[in-house]
C-alpha cells in the first residue's frame, strides 16, 4: 500500500471526529456566549484536529523511512513509547521477511544465470551440430525427430541445395529409409549402452552409399532420453573396397597364368615328354619367359607400391628436361633395333627447365617408349619430342603402332588393365601406364593425355610446369618444397 493510500484513512480518523465535536459544541457556545464564540469553538476544534493529523503524519513518515533503513531502526524504539513492544515484534517480522526476500532474490538470480548459461550451451550445441558436414539426427525416447542438421535435410531432400536454417525433419521423411528407422527402434528397445550400425543407399543408387551409426543418449542417472544418428557417406570407401577386390583379383589372375604355364612345362620335363635336347631347351625357354613375366609383374607391383606408400623417397631437383629424356632413349634403343623400329628423338633446342625427380620421370618416359616399341609392328617408327608450350614443358611419345579403341580409353591408366585386342601383340602386366600416371600427376603436378587411332598409332603427351623451383608459381613451389622435404 502506498503512502498516499495510508494517509487518507489517518486524516479521516482525526479530522472527522474533531469536526463532529466542534459542530456539537458550537451551538452550546453560541447559546451561552453568542455566534462569535460558536465559530471560535468550531475553528479551534478543527485546527486542533489538523495539527494533530500533521504531527501523526510526520511521525508516520519518519518511522516509515527508518523502517526502510535497517541502521536507523533502533531509533524508532525510543520514539514509540507504549507501542515499543508491538513495534519490536513488527521489526522482527520485517527483518525475517527481508531475509526471505534476499534469499529468494539470490535464488532467482542464480536460476536466471543458470538458464542463460544452459541456453548458451544449447545454442552452441545446436550450432556445432548444424555446422557438421555429416548428417546428424536427434530423436526422443519415442523415436520422434527433435532436431536434424542441414546436412541431414539435404540428404533426405536432395532438391534443397541452400543451407537449411530450421533443422527440422519429419517422421515421414525419415521413414523413407527403413533401415535407419529400424536401427533407431532397436537402440531404444535394447539395454542402455548398445549402439547399432546400418548401411543403406539413397536415391535408388546401386550398392551401399551411406552408413548410419545410432547411439543412445542418457542423462546423469542413466535414463534413456533418445538417440543420436550420425550418417557418413561411404561411397568413396565402397569404391575403394571394390577397387581393392578388383586389384586382388587381377593380381591373382596375373600370377596364376604364368604359374600354370610353369607347372605345365615342368610336368612335361618331369614326365620325360621332351625326348630331344631341342625340345627340352624349348620348354626351358618357355619356363624362363614365364619367370621373366612373373618378375616384371612383381617388380612393377613393388615399384608402384613403394612409390605410393612413400618408401621410395622422391628427390626433386632443378634440371633440364632433355637431360632426362636422352638416357631414356638410349635405354630403349636396343629394343627398337631388335624389331627394326626407327627411334627418332626430336628434342627441343631450348633449355627446358623443370623441377623433377630425374629417376622417376625417366622411368615414366621409358615405360611409354617401351609400350610404343612393343605395340608397333616391325618397320614402324617411334618419336620422342620435347617442346615448350606457354608455361608448360611438353613431352610427346608418338608411335605408328596398333592404336587403342575409343571404348578402352577410360580404363587405360587403371592397374592391370590391358587393351583386349592388343594382348596377343606383346606380354605385359598392365601396371606400366598406371605407374606413369602416378609419377606424372601425383608426384610432379603434371598431366598426361592420349590421342589414338586404331591401326594408325597413338600419341601420349606429358605436360609439366616450366621452371626451376624458385621460378615456379608460389602455390606450386610451396607444394614442391613440401614433397621434397
Amino acid at each position: 500500500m502506498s503512502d498516499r493510500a495510508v494517509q487518507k484513512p489517518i486524516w479521516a480518523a482525526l479530522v472527522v471526529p474533531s469536526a463532529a465535536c466542534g459542530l456539537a459544541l458550537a451551538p452550546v457556545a453560541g447559546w451561552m456566549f453568542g455566534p462569535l464564540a460558536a465559530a471560535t469553538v468550531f475553528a479551534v476544534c478543527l485546527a486542533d484536529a489538523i495539527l494533530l493529523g500533521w504531527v501523526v503524519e510526520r511521525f508516520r513518515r519518519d518511522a516509515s523511512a527508518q523502517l526502510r533503513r535497517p541502521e536507523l531502526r533502533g531509533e524508532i524504539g525510543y520514539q514509540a513509547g507504549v507501542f515499543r513492544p508491538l513495534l519490536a515484534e513488527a521489526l522482527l517480522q520485517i527483518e525475517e521477511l527481508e531475509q526471505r526476500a534476499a534469499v529468494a532474490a539470490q535464488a532467482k538470480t542464480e536460476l536466471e544465470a543458470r538458464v542463460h548459461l544452459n541456453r548458451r550451451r544449447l545454442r552452441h550445441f545446436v550450432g556445432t551440430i548444424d555446422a557438421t558436414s555429416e548428417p546428424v539426427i536427434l530423436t526422443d525416447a519415442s523415436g520422434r525427430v527433435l532436431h536434424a542438421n542441414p546436412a541431414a535435410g539435404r540428404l533426405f531432400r536432395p532438391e534443397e541445395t541452400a543451407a537449411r536454417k530450421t533443422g527440422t525433419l519429419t517422421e515421414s521423411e525419415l521413414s523413407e529409409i527403413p533401415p535407419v528407422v529400424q536401427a533407431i527402434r532397436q537402440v531404444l528397445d535394447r539395454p542402455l549402452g548398445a549402439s547399432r550400425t546400418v548401411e543403406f543407399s539413397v536415391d535408388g543408387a546401386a550398392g551401399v552409399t551411406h552408413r548410419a551409426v545410432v547411439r543412445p543418449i542418457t542423462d546423469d542417472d542413466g535414463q534413456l532420453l533418445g538417440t543420436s544418428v550420425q550418417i557418413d557417406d561411404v561411397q568413396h570407401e565402397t569404391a575403394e573396397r571394390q577397387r581393392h577386390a578388383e586389384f586382388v583379383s587381377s593380381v591373382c589372375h596375373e600370377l596364376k597364368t604364368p604359374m600354370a604355364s610353369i607347372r605345365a612345362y615342368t610336368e612335361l620335363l618331369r614326365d620325360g615328354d621332351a625326348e630331344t635336347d631341342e625340345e627340352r631347351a624349348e620348354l626351358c625357354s618357355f619356363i624362363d619367359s614365364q619367370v621373366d613375366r612373373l618378375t616384371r609383374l612383381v617388380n612393377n607391383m613393388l615399384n608402384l607400391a613403394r612409390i605410393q606408400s612413400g618408401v621410395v623417397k622422391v628427390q626433386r631437383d632443378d634440371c633440364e628436361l632433355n637431360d632426362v629424356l636422352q638416357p631414356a632413349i638410349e635405354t630403349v634403343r636396343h629394343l627398337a633395333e631388335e624389331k627394326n623400329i626407327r627411334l627418332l628423338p626430336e628434342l627441343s633446342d631450348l633449355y627446358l627447365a623443370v623441377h623433377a625427380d630425374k629417376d622417376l620421370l625417366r622411368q615414366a618416359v621409358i615405360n611409354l617408349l617401351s609400350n610404343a616399341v612393343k605395340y608397333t609392328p616391325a618397320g614402324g617408327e617411334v618419336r620422342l619430342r620435347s617442346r615448350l608450350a606457354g608455361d608448360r614443358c611438353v613431352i610427346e611419345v608418338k608411335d605408328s603402332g596398333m592404336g587403342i579403341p575409343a571404348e578402352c580409353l577410360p580404363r587405360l591408366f587403371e592397374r592391370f588393365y590391358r587393351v583386349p585386342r592388343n594382348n596377343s601383340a606383346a606380354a605385359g602386366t598392365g601396371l606400366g601406364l598406371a605407374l606413369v600416371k602416378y609419377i606424372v600427376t601425383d608426384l610432379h603436378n603434371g598431366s598426361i593425355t592420349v590421342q589414338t587411332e586404331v591401326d594408325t598409332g597413338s600419341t601420349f603427351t606429358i605436360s609439366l610446369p616450366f621452371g626451376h623451383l624458385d621460378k615456379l608459381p608460389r602455390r606450386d613451389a610451396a607444394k614442391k618444397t613440401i614433397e621434397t622435404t
Side-chain angles (χ1 to χ4, degrees):
M1 185 179 294
S2 65
D3 291 345
R4 188 175 297 276
V6 174
Q7 185 177 2
K8 291 180 179 180
I10 292 177
W11 282 100
L14 295 175
V15 174
V16 172
S18 298
C21 181
L23 290 174
L25 295 176
V28 176
W31 176 71
M32 292 179 62
F33 302 105
L36 183 59
T40 302
V41 170
F42 179 77
V44 171
C45 290
L46 185 60
D48 181 64
I50 293 174
L51 180 60
L52 181 60
W54 179 79
V55 172
V56 172
E57 175 62 20
R58 176 91 178 263
F59 176 77
R60 185 195 68 78
R61 289 182 178 180
D62 293 342
S64 177
Q66 291 172 346
L67 287 174
R68 289 190 175 94
R69 300 176 61 183
E71 67 273 12
L72 300 179
R73 288 174 184 171
E75 300 178 5
I76 300 178
Y78 298 104
Q79 304 172 6
V82 295
F83 298 103
R84 184 182 298 176
L86 180 61
L87 191 57
E89 182 64 25
L91 289 175
L92 291 177
Q93 295 294 330
I94 290 174
E95 291 176 355
E96 182 178 353
L97 291 175
E98 286 179 343
Q99 292 177 357
R100 292 181 180 178
V103 172
Q106 183 178 0
K108 178 185 176 183
T109 302
E110 293 177 355
L111 182 60
E112 290 177 346
R114 192 173 303 167
V115 170
H116 178 69
L117 179 60
N118 288 337
R119 286 177 177 173
R120 289 190 59 185
R121 288 177 176 174
L122 180 61
R123 286 194 296 268
H124 179 75
F125 174 72
V126 173
T128 302
I129 292 179
D130 289 346
T132 303
S133 59
E134 292 81 14
V136 177
I137 302 171
L138 302 178
T139 72
D140 60 14
S142 62
R144 290 191 299 268
V145 177
L146 296 178
H147 184 78
N149 66 348
R154 290 190 293 271
L155 174 63
F156 288 86
R157 302 171 186 169
E159 67 278 4
E160 295 190 9
T161 56
R164 301 170 68 244
K165 298 181 181 299
T166 57
T168 58
L169 190 72
T170 64
E171 279 73 20
S172 60
E173 292 172 331
L174 184 60
S175 63
E176 294 177 1
I177 304 181
V180 176
V181 178
Q182 184 179 3
I184 293 174
R185 180 51 52 193
Q186 290 176 347
V187 170
L188 293 175
D189 294 340
R190 284 182 176 185
L192 296 180
S195 60
R196 179 76 170 161
T197 301
V198 294
E199 294 183 342
F200 60 93
S201 61
V202 295
D203 299 335
V208 175
T209 60
H210 292 79
R211 179 187 297 119
V213 181
V214 185
R215 299 181 178 89
I217 301 176
T218 59
D219 59 12
D220 295 337
D221 298 327
Q223 295 296 320
L224 183 64
L225 300 179
T227 65
S228 68
V229 184
Q230 180 178 349
I231 302 176
D232 297 317
D233 189 335
V234 295
Q235 295 183 73
H236 179 71
E237 179 182 339
T238 302
E240 281 295 323
R241 288 204 302 260
Q242 181 65 27
R243 283 194 291 268
H244 178 72
E246 293 176 354
F247 173 77
V248 173
S249 176
S250 299
V251 170
C252 293
H253 175 74
E254 293 295 330
L255 290 175
K256 181 179 179 181
T257 301
M259 291 177 65
S261 300
I262 293 174
R263 182 175 182 179
Y265 296 144
T266 303
E267 288 179 352
L268 290 176
L269 290 173
R270 184 181 58 193
D271 295 340
D273 293 335
E275 298 178 353
T276 65
D277 292 340
E278 292 181 357
E279 291 178 347
R280 286 190 289 270
E282 184 178 3
L283 291 178
C284 289
S285 176
F286 288 150
I287 293 174
D288 188 57
S289 66
Q290 295 304 313
V291 171
D292 288 342
R293 180 179 177 182
L294 282 174
T295 302
R296 288 196 304 271
L297 174 63
V298 172
N299 288 339
N300 284 333
M301 288 176 57
L302 287 176
N303 290 336
L304 185 60
R306 287 169 179 171
I307 294 174
Q308 290 182 338
S309 62
V311 174
V312 176
K313 189 175 181 180
V314 180
Q315 298 286 349
R316 301 184 63 178
D317 299 306
D318 294 337
C319 60
E320 206 276 326
L321 182 60
N322 291 335
D323 292 342
V324 177
L325 302 183
Q326 192 64 47
I329 296 174
E330 300 303 324
T331 301
V332 183
R333 187 177 297 280
H334 72 283
L335 296 177
E337 292 174 350
E338 288 178 359
K339 292 187 64 175
N340 192 27
I341 293 176
R342 295 187 303 277
L343 186 59
L344 305 175
E346 299 178 359
L347 305 183
S348 173
D349 294 331
L350 299 176
Y351 184 87
L352 301 180
V354 293
H355 186 71
D357 185 310
K358 292 190 289 186
D359 293 335
L360 291 178
L361 185 58
R362 183 182 302 116
Q363 183 62 52
V365 176
I366 289 174
N367 284 3
L368 292 179
L369 290 173
S370 298
N371 282 350
V373 171
K374 284 194 298 183
Y375 296 106
T376 297
E381 64 178 25
V382 174
R383 297 178 181 270
L384 176 63
R385 297 170 178 168
S386 64
R387 57 187 174 87
L388 182 64
D391 60 348
R392 311 288 289 185
C393 291
V394 178
I395 306 170
E396 291 181 354
V397 176
K398 183 177 181 180
D399 63 63
S400 59
M402 304 173 64
I404 303 169
E407 63 272 13
C408 299
L409 293 179
R411 301 190 58 190
L412 189 61
F413 295 98
E414 292 183 7
R415 288 177 295 184
F416 295 107
Y417 180 76
R418 299 189 66 198
V419 178
R421 71 184 298 270
N422 297 348
N423 282 346
S424 59
T429 62
L431 290 174
L433 289 180
L435 183 60
V436 171
K437 186 176 187 299
Y438 184 81
I439 292 174
V440 171
T441 60
D442 291 60
L443 301 184
H444 290 86
N445 196 33
S447 63
I448 182 170
T449 58
V450 58
Q451 294 179 339
T452 182
E453 185 176 349
V454 176
D455 297 329
T456 299
S458 304
T459 301
F460 286 82
T461 303
I462 296 175
S463 176
L464 299 173
F466 171 73
H468 289 163
L469 180 61
D470 57 346
K471 301 297 183 181
L472 292 174
R474 186 175 299 273
R475 286 182 58 189
D476 194 46
K479 182 176 179 181
K480 301 301 182 290
T481 303
I482 294 174
E483 289 177 350
T484 55
T485 55

